[in-house]
């Protein structure tokens, strides 16, 4: 009888194990995962994004971080490999469905900075960690998103390393919350981060909003670095991107905490796997399953200038700033600043009279002059730039001009030298630069002696093509017009949707 019981138990155990394996395969489609992070067997990273006083605790957490992800991943996936960033090379990702970067690989090309005789930065090339041919499904965690993405022109850029614990303004219908695991997110109404109201986009956001906790309540230690949010403005102006969620940070309401650009998924919340709530762990697993379908895709609209000005936002700032109300607020800020400076100066002078020694920075502070309040004319000249020579202090005329000509503005130049300005060629044609008609009309005008040069400038400005004949332009346009889209974040260009 005892043998029968033992045999039965063995059979049941085998069946349960098999059932679990089947269920795991069913939920994760047998996806293979490569995790790139920090191995405790390796030397510590040379640079650590924490204060000196927090390094000890940060290092202790860093040593167990890879293990926590390995445990979570192996719970859901049959094929998992974890390696240190120093051991990674691009060819390794070819053997796995999804690569996760929670640590930085070795650069394949070092950063380049060139300065002139005045110590001004005149040339800047980002370090490269992956080639532009890289097309593997990838998740980048926290700070890895912009570090890896800068040289690739990803929209998962560096807006702010200030993401905290909660997500908000979430697209709950997205697959990462629903498949293969249906995650019923727990929401709690909390005070809206005050910084949201510093931006025009925060104007109508209520004082309290529903939030979803991503990092467990215990994750409140300053030694654990914050997460990363990317710029939301222009994020979705190409067909290969998806905004999914924002999060509590010191930026605008649309800052991207969770998002996708082509084959790269940005998981902005930073922490070890066991720092996430149970709900967030499942969403992370769902995100791996989700990004897997984008294997073989590469970014179409590459954002090489992460500071590029998005029209709607830039115009909104100008309309807000060119007003009596904004000028008064600016004056009040100067007055508050000066009041603090006066108080600080008095304290240092009193300290000096007592015979106490001042530090070098304190001595320098006493040599500074008080901030001079700007006149209305000075304030507007700073806000309007070159347009001040046209409108002067006539704020209403300037605001009217911006609204009437918004469709013709564009941003051009490099990350070190760029400008947001009116395109007088588009204004002359009277066609918005994000209206497909501007290409069609410009191609037609290539045979017009009076308008040929204007048409050529427009075509070269707003496309990446360099055809020399009208016939070539017509063939390109007719072949691609159903697939063309306009991207501002990608350089104010008409590009071809290669995934359509």
């Amino acid at each position: 009888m005892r043998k029968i019981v033992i045999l039965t138990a063995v059979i049941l155990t085998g069946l349960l194990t098999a059932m679990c394996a089947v269920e795991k395969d069913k939920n994760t489609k047998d996806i293979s995962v490569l995790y790139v992070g920090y191995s405790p067997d390796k030397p510590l990273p040379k640079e650590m994004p924490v204060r000196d006083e927090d390094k000890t605790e940060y290092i202790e957490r860093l040593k167990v971080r890879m293990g926590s992800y390995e445990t979570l991943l192996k719970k859901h996936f049959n094929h998992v490999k974890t390696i240190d960033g120093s051991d990674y090379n691009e060819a390794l990702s070819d053997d796995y469905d999804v690569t996760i970067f929670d640590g930085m690989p070795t650069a394949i090309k070092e950063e380049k900075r060139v300065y002139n005789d005045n110590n001004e930065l005149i040339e800047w090339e980002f370090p490269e960690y992956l080639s532009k041919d890289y097309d593997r499904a990838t998740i980048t965690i926290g700070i890895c998103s912009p570090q890896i993405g800068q040289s690739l022109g990803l929209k998962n850029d560096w807006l702010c390393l200030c993401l905290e614990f909660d997500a908000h303004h979430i697209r709950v219908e997205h697959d990462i919350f629903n498949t293969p695991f249906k995650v019923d997110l727990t929401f709690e109404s909390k005070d809206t981060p005050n910084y949201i109201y510093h931006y025009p986009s925060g104007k109508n956001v209520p004082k309290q909003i529903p939030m979803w906790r991503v990092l467990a309540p215990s994750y409140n230690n300053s030694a654990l670095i914050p997460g990363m949010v990317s710029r939301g403005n222009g994020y979705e102006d190409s067909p290969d991107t998806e905004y999914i969620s924002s999060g509590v940070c010191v930026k605008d309401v649309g800052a991207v905490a969770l998002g996708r650009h082509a084959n790269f998924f940005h998981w902005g919340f930073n922490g070890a796997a066991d720092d996430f709530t149970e709900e967030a762990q499942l969403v992370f697993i769902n995100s791996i399953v989700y990004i897997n379908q984008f294997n073989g895709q590469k970014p179409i609209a590459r954002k090489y200038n992460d500071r590029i000005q998005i029209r709607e936002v830039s115009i909104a700032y100008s309309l807000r700033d060119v007003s009596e109300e904004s000028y008064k607020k600016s004056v009040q800020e100067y007055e508050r600043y000066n009041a603090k400076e006066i108080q600080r100066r008095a304290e240092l002078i009193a300290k000096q009279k007592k015979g106490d020694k001042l530090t070098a920075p304190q001595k320098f502070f006493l040599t500074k002059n008080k901030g001079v309040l700007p006149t209305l004319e000075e304030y507007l000249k700073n806000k309007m730039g070159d347009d001040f020579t046209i409108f002067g202090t006539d704020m209403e005329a300037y605001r009217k001009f911006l609204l009437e000509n918004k469709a013709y503005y564009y941003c051009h130049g490099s990350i070190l030298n760029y400008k947001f300005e009116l395109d007088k060629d588009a204004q002359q044609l009277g066609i918005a630069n994000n209206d497909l008609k501007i290409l069609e009309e410009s191609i037609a005008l290539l045979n017009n002696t009076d308008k040929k040069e204007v048409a050529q400038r427009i075509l070269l400005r707003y496309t990446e093509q360099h055809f020399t004949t009208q016939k070539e332009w017509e063939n390109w346009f007719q072949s691609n017009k159903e697939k063309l889209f306009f991207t501002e974040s990608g350089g104010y260009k008409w590009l071809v949707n290669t995934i359509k």
Side-chain angles (χ1 to χ4, degrees), residues 57 164-166 213 215-224 275:
E57 187 163 352
E164 297 185 10
F165 320 116
D166 295 298
R213 186 79 181 202
L215 290 155
S218 59
Y219 188 94
N220 284 321
N221 194 294
S222 61
L224 303 175
D275 291 319

Side-chain angles (χ1 to χ4, degrees), residues 60-227:
E60 291 306 307
R61 289 296 295 154
L62 189 62
K63 288 178 179 178
V64 300
R65 185 160 172 145
M66 178 182 283
S68 76
Y69 274 101
E70 185 174 21
T71 299
L72 176 64
L73 293 171
K74 286 186 173 179
K75 180 180 177 182
H76 296 282
F77 301 97
N78 290 331
H79 306 287
V80 175
K81 174 75 172 178
T82 60
I83 63 169
D84 187 82
S86 63
D87 294 326
Y88 176 81
N89 66 75
E90 197 166 308
L92 289 174
S93 290
D94 292 336
D95 297 328
Y96 296 86
D97 297 310
V98 177
T99 300
I100 300 172
F101 286 104
D102 187 34
M104 293 299 295
T106 303
I108 58 176
K109 183 179 178 182
E110 295 298 330
E111 180 181 31
K112 179 183 177 182
R113 296 193 185 200
V114 179
Y115 296 85
N116 63 17
D117 294 338
N118 296 321
N119 203 34
E120 297 168 330
L121 185 61
I122 58 173
E123 188 180 344
W124 186 11
E125 293 180 9
F126 297 121
E128 295 180 16
Y129 298 95
L130 297 171
S131 72
K132 290 182 176 61
D133 291 328
Y134 180 86
D135 63 359
R136 306 304 296 164
T138 300
I139 290 182
T140 49
I141 298 176
I143 198 172
C144 293
S145 289
Q147 288 182 326
I148 287 174
Q150 282 177 321
S151 65
L152 298 175
L154 296 187
K155 295 183 181 182
N156 302 328
D157 58 18
W158 189 314
L159 174 59
C160 186
L161 188 66
C162 57
L163 180 60
E164 297 185 10
F165 320 116
D166 295 298
H168 59 77
H169 287 80
I170 305 169
R171 291 181 175 168
V172 293
E173 72 282 359
H174 196 277
D175 281 356
I176 70 166
F177 304 112
N178 295 285
T179 185
F181 297 104
K182 172 64 177 173
V183 185
D184 294 320
L185 304 183
T186 302
F187 285 98
E188 182 181 348
S189 184
K190 296 184 180 181
D191 291 341
T192 300
N194 188 55
Y195 284 96
I196 283 177
Y197 300 113
H198 294 182
Y199 300 85
S201 58
K203 184 177 180 181
N204 297 316
V205 177
K207 296 299 182 184
Q208 285 202 327
I209 53 177
M211 295 192 190
W212 170 55
R213 186 79 181 202
V214 179
L215 290 155
S218 59
Y219 188 94
N220 284 321
N221 194 294
S222 61
L224 303 175
I225 61 174

Side-chain angles (χ1 to χ4, degrees), residues 345-362:
R345 186 181 299 273
E347 290 172 354
L348 290 177
I349 291 173
K351 188 176 181 180
Q352 215 172 25
K353 286 180 178 179
K354 283 171 58 180
D356 294 341
K357 287 186 177 181
L358 300 184
T359 64
Q362 289 173 333

Side-chain angles (χ1 to χ4, degrees), residues 311 407-410 423-446 451-452 454-463 473 476-477 484-486 492-494:
R311 180 193 345 244
Y408 313 124
Y409 275 84
Y410 77 117
D423 178 1
K424 294 183 179 178
D425 290 330
Q427 184 190 42
Q428 182 178 334
L429 291 189
I431 304 174
N433 52 22
N434 60 359
D435 185 337
L436 193 59
K437 290 179 182 177
I438 197 169
L439 298 185
E440 193 168 22
E441 181 68 14
S442 295
I443 292 170
L445 289 174
L446 289 174
K451 297 288 183 68
K452 182 178 180 179
V454 169
Q456 287 176 329
R457 286 196 298 267
I458 285 175
L459 291 171
L460 294 175
R461 182 175 297 142
Y462 295 117
T463 75
W473 279 109
W476 173 78
F477 182 74
L484 287 169
F485 67 94
F486 190 76
Y492 283 75
K493 299 290 184 183
W494 282 97

Side-chain angles (χ1 to χ4, degrees), residues 374-392:
T375 64
L376 177 60
E377 185 172 300
E378 290 169 337
Y379 171 82
L380 292 174
K381 190 173 183 179
N382 174 261
K383 296 299 181 182
M384 291 184 189
D386 294 342
D387 288 334
F388 180 78
T389 59
I390 304 171
F391 300 101

